[in-house]
Amino acid sequence: MNRLNRQCRWGLLAVLTVSRFAAHAASSDELVPAVECRERNGLPNVLSKLKSGAAVRIAYLGGSITAQDGWRPKTLHWFRQHFSNARVSEINAAIGGTGSDLGVFRLQHDVLEHQPDLLFIEFAVNDDGVPAQQIIRCMEGIVRQTRKRDPATDICFVYTLAGDMLATLREGRFPRSSSAMEKVADHYDIPSIHMGLEVARMEKDGKLVFKGEKPKTEAERAALGDKILFSPDAVHPYTDSGHQLYLEAVVRSLARIEKVASRAPPPLAAPLVADNWEAARMIPLSQAKLSSGWRRLNAPTNSLAKSFGNRLPELWSAKEPGESISFKFRGTTARIYDLVGPDCGQMTIAVDDRPPVVTPRFDAYCTYHRLSTLSVAEGLPEGVHSVKITIHPEQPDKAKILSQRHEKMDDPRRFDGTAWYAGAILLLGEPL
């Protein structure tokens, strides 16, 4: 997990390089009023189990802010203290640098198979820059999958913030990503908590410094004074300060949510949008046709399988040009859940009779291996489609790609290769 957490931090920074201008260009009537907590139908089922002293499983689905040693373990500890007779356990389903568009595919494997009683969903920062309609599709897919699996599973949306969201919150409105999520929360009567609203108020009042390095000298400590230092990078809070404020926001909100009268689980509402991603599914790679050079990697003999085995249902490797996978599916969208890293190459993607497309599995952050997704086909006409993905014979220009972040190859031998590591097919539809 330490390795995964390090990957989470830098993976999210990669996501944040996406332009945010479009995300914050929404007109004011699209942005909902900023409220720290909307109780809605509350969390009746999990609170009942907690108060009765039962075993309770709390799942955390999110990005690197949730993966940090922060609000997630802090709230888990609070639940254990506040409901000391209950047996509270955790389902940690946080992956840095990922949003709801991966969360909806991995929900079944990472969360629902473990039978949660409460599901916290945190994607507001990583979904920033994503079109509002796409956020709604994915978040509604997560909700509908969860409610269909077990209507008694309570859900709570939680929103975090990055530095360029501060201005909108200061004006009393949610940023675009959380505003889109509120439409889903309203439709399904799901409680929501904005963990960063008080942070924005404190920053506006001059009581908090949002971004800065911790003081190292007496002069730096004197300059900071009694102000709270929130984060080193305007995204990831410090554990003892920023994440503590996030915890306090959750605790205040849960006190309000507890007052909501206990009710039976509401019936599953009609879809908010017809093209929501309820049908998103993750299929083990072994269900595709693999060429002869593929090898399944297993822990503990393989370090990558050991590091990522809790996320990928399987992990396979092929290293030689010409090795391929192929499959057919009925649906509209296909992706591959894979790894990118120093020794990875590039893929030739052929879908139906369309011209092949070459896509690298190497980017400016590939000084280490991390989880990623390869887009194969997006928004195809509903129907049956054929896919073949082949390792390209040429490596991408890795030195040039790394130079985008002023990185260099520490050892050229470590970066030499055309490898591909893949674990699952992500489908909007069904495999054939």
Side-chain angles (χ1 to χ4, degrees):
M1 283 309 301
N2 288 336
R3 176 174 181 170
L4 181 58
N5 287 338
R6 289 196 300 271
Q7 294 163 354
C8 289
R9 173 168 178 162
W10 294 112
L12 178 56
L13 292 178
V15 170
L16 294 177
T17 60
V18 176
S19 171
R20 296 174 182 269
F21 292 109
H24 297 286
S27 61
S28 59
D29 60 350
E30 293 178 316
L31 305 180
V32 304
V35 177
E36 184 172 75
C37 176
R38 289 183 168 92
E39 300 93 331
R40 297 189 177 94
N41 192 56
L43 304 170
N45 302 301
V46 69
L47 287 173
S48 176
K49 292 188 72 172
L50 286 164
K51 291 173 182 178
S52 69
V56 168
R57 290 172 293 275
I58 301 176
Y60 297 84
L61 179 67
S64 60
I65 296 173
T66 296
Q68 280 186 284
D69 183 18
W71 80 272
R72 173 183 51 79
K74 285 177 180 288
T75 56
L76 188 70
H77 179 70
W78 181 87
F79 277 112
R80 288 169 172 167
Q81 282 195 319
H82 194 68
F83 301 98
S84 56
N85 291 329
R87 302 181 301 282
V88 181
S89 59
E90 174 194 38
I91 303 167
N92 182 356
I95 301 178
T98 66
S100 61
D101 62 337
L102 177 58
V104 68
F105 285 103
R106 64 186 183 88
L107 177 72
Q108 179 69 32
H109 179 270
D110 289 358
V111 176
L112 299 184
E113 287 182 2
H114 305 286
Q115 300 178 317
D117 299 289
L118 170 61
L119 170 59
F120 284 113
I121 306 172
E122 176 270 312
F123 287 122
V125 167
N126 285 13
D127 276 2
D128 190 38
V130 177
Q133 199 63 19
Q134 177 66 6
I135 295 172
I136 291 171
R137 292 186 192 103
C138 295
M139 293 294 286
E140 182 170 26
I142 291 171
V143 170
R144 294 188 68 83
Q145 286 184 40
T146 302
R147 289 272 169 89
K148 283 194 169 183
R149 173 72 180 241
D150 185 355
T153 299
D154 287 328
I155 303 171
C156 184
F157 289 2
V158 289
Y159 309 132
T160 54
L161 78 161
D164 52 4
M165 297 175 168
L166 279 172
T168 308
L169 286 169
R170 288 193 209 105
E171 295 168 0
R173 297 173 295 147
F174 277 177
R176 186 175 180 179
S177 60
S178 46
S179 291
M181 293 172 184
E182 281 292 278
K183 294 180 181 179
V184 179
D186 270 336
H187 187 74
Y188 291 96
D189 219 9
I190 292 169
S192 61
I193 302 169
H194 202 304
M195 299 192 290
L197 187 57
E198 182 64 19
V199 174
R201 287 174 181 157
M202 293 177 70
E203 194 272 345
K204 184 178 181 180
D205 293 341
K207 298 178 181 179
L208 178 142
V209 176
F210 196 77
K211 175 185 176 182
E213 294 297 325
K214 288 190 174 183
K216 299 180 179 64
T217 67
E218 287 300 327
E220 290 174 343
R221 280 187 281 271
L224 182 63
D226 58 358
K227 295 179 181 178
I228 294 174
L229 184 57
F230 181 77
S231 74
D233 58 5
V235 178
H236 303 88
Y238 286 115
T239 298
D240 57 352
S241 57
H243 274 293
Q244 184 65 26
L245 292 174
Y246 279 178
L247 166 68
E248 292 168 6
V250 174
V251 172
R252 284 192 301 271
S253 299
L254 287 173
R256 297 179 52 154
I257 290 171
E258 278 192 78
K259 295 178 183 178
V260 176
S262 179
R263 309 175 216 173
L268 186 62
L272 175 62
V273 294
D275 59 346
N276 74 78
W277 284 20
E278 178 184 349
R281 62 179 69 193
M282 183 163 66
I283 310 297
L285 194 72
S286 55
Q287 293 194 23
K289 181 180 179 181
L290 307 179
S291 61
S292 61
W294 284 89
R295 298 290 180 268
R296 184 168 180 174
L297 307 180
N298 296 298
T301 56
N302 181 271
S303 61
L304 293 178
K306 184 177 180 180
S307 295
F308 299 101
N310 64 331
R311 294 294 179 230
L312 295 166
E314 304 171 351
L315 182 58
W316 292 76
S317 171
K319 298 187 177 183
E320 299 300 324
E323 299 295 346
S324 66
I325 67 170
S326 55
F327 59 91
K328 289 185 177 181
F329 73 102
R330 179 181 288 108
T332 62
T333 296
R335 301 172 179 175
I336 302 294
Y337 197 14
D338 65 353
L339 302 181
V340 293
D343 59 336
C344 293
Q346 51 190 357
M347 307 300 123
T348 300
I349 302 171
V351 179
D352 299 332
D353 56 357
R354 301 182 177 201
V357 175
V358 178
T359 303
R361 303 316 294 139
F362 184 93
D363 61 24
Y365 291 82
C366 279
T367 55
Y368 58 90
H369 290 92
R370 73 179 194 279
L371 290 164
S372 187
T373 55
L374 171 63
S375 177
V376 174
E378 307 282 339
L380 296 175
E382 183 70 47
V384 175
H385 302 283
S386 299
V387 172
K388 184 174 184 179
I389 309 170
T390 307
I391 296 179
H392 194 276
E394 298 176 3
Q395 297 186 38
D397 189 340
K398 297 182 180 181
K400 182 178 180 180
I401 293 171
L402 289 173
S403 69
Q404 297 170 12
R405 293 186 57 246
H406 308 291
E407 294 279 2
K408 294 182 179 180
M409 297 184 188
D410 53 3
D411 179 358
R413 292 173 298 179
R414 198 166 71 88
F415 288 83
D416 184 31
T418 57
W420 188 24
Y421 305 94
I425 304 168
L426 308 178
L427 292 181
L428 276 182
E430 59 180 340
L432 299 178

